[in-house]
Amino acid sequence: MNRKQALKIVEEQLTPHRYEHTLGVMETAIELAAHYGADEKKAELAAIFHDYAKFRPKKEMKRIIEEQGMPKELLVYGKELWHAPVGAFLVEKEAGITDSEVLDAIRYHTAGRPGMTLLEKVIYIADYIEPGRHFPGVDEVREMAKSDLDLALAQSIKNTILFLMKKNLPIYPETFLTYNELTMKAED
Ligand code: DGI
Ligand code: FE
Ligand code: FE
């Protein structure tokens, strides 16, 4: 599937604002992939589809999580997390994407996971720093991403955890596990 075909499929699933975000993630992911030696085509495809399920009804996402045997914990930690694993499932089923590396990059783009692959890191960070993002701390992560992908990842996860805590929201355990792994690595 080429870029044009992929974008057409995704545009139908998203609001104009979310589609603009997707284009930003795509450009950023390709740049990061080129810089760090990840597969640029896979980065492009994963970026285009990463928020595919963002606007699916809550009920549908919940049903898919239950029926597909996804972690039950997802249901406890809030629906913002659901579009990532549900997206990976639907992108395979509805758009025919079968590349497991691309699907994993979509699946783990919100919470991360310990042992993230290079492609997963590229998508996670591209999602965080694409040009349309304007939250506090994003410029610091943009700078880090130019020279140290793991440092940028640790910082963006830390910012996300702090943001969630300030809003009294629960932190999904995988998010903490990812943060811990990166923090311990950074101390080596
Ligand atoms: O889909 P995007 O907005 O582009 O970005 P995203 O996929 O990173 O989703 C961000 C949302 O997910 C945001 O509302 C915070 C939420 N989130 C991220 N990590 C966690 C989380 N929510 C909970 N409860 N726990 C997490 O660990
Ligand atoms: Fe997302
Ligand atoms: Fe996104």
Side-chain angles (χ1 to χ4, degrees), residues 18 21 50-51 54 77 80-81 83 109-110 127 133 160 164 170-172 175:
R18 184 59 45 175
H21 160 71
H50 84 284
D51 276 340
K54 192 82 179 173
Y77 286 86
E80 291 304 321
L81 290 165
H83 72 285
H109 89 265
T110 301
D127 188 25
R133 298 288 210 192
T160 300
L164 293 165
I171 316 294
Y172 188 56
T175 305

Side-chain angles (χ1 to χ4, degrees), residues 1-132:
M1 184 182 309
N2 64 33
R3 175 191 291 200
K4 206 173 155 214
Q5 292 166 323
L7 285 174
K8 188 169 181 294
I9 294 170
V10 156
E11 191 173 14
E12 287 168 12
Q13 300 289 325
L14 303 177
T15 59
H17 180 257
R18 184 59 45 175
Y19 183 67
E20 280 302 311
H21 160 71
T22 295
L23 294 177
V25 178
M26 179 186 78
E27 296 295 344
T28 308
I30 294 169
E31 278 170 30
L32 288 172
H35 188 67
Y36 289 101
D39 187 313
E40 290 177 48
K41 280 285 151 210
K42 291 188 190 206
E44 178 184 79
L45 204 57
I48 291 173
F49 282 104
H50 84 284
D51 276 340
Y52 179 83
K54 192 82 179 173
F55 299 103
R56 288 299 166 116
K58 190 176 171 184
K59 266 192 180 164
E60 182 188 352
M61 290 198 283
K62 185 166 186 276
R63 180 177 55 75
I64 291 170
I65 289 168
E66 287 165 349
E67 284 179 4
Q68 298 305 316
M70 292 173 187
K72 287 199 175 54
E73 271 190 324
L74 283 166
L75 298 173
V76 185
Y77 286 86
K79 78 172 192 31
E80 291 304 321
L81 290 165
W82 301 355
H83 72 285
V86 169
F89 171 75
L90 290 177
V91 158
E92 180 169 16
K93 188 163 159 255
E94 297 178 2
I97 307 284
T98 52
D99 187 310
S100 63
E101 291 178 43
V102 171
L103 295 176
D104 280 345
I106 297 168
R107 189 174 347 265
Y108 300 112
H109 89 265
T110 301
R113 63 161 164 170
M116 285 169 87
T117 64
L118 178 60
L119 186 68
E120 288 165 23
K121 293 175 185 178
V122 161
I123 298 302
Y124 187 100
I125 295 170
D127 188 25
Y128 195 83
I129 66 170
E130 63 93 2

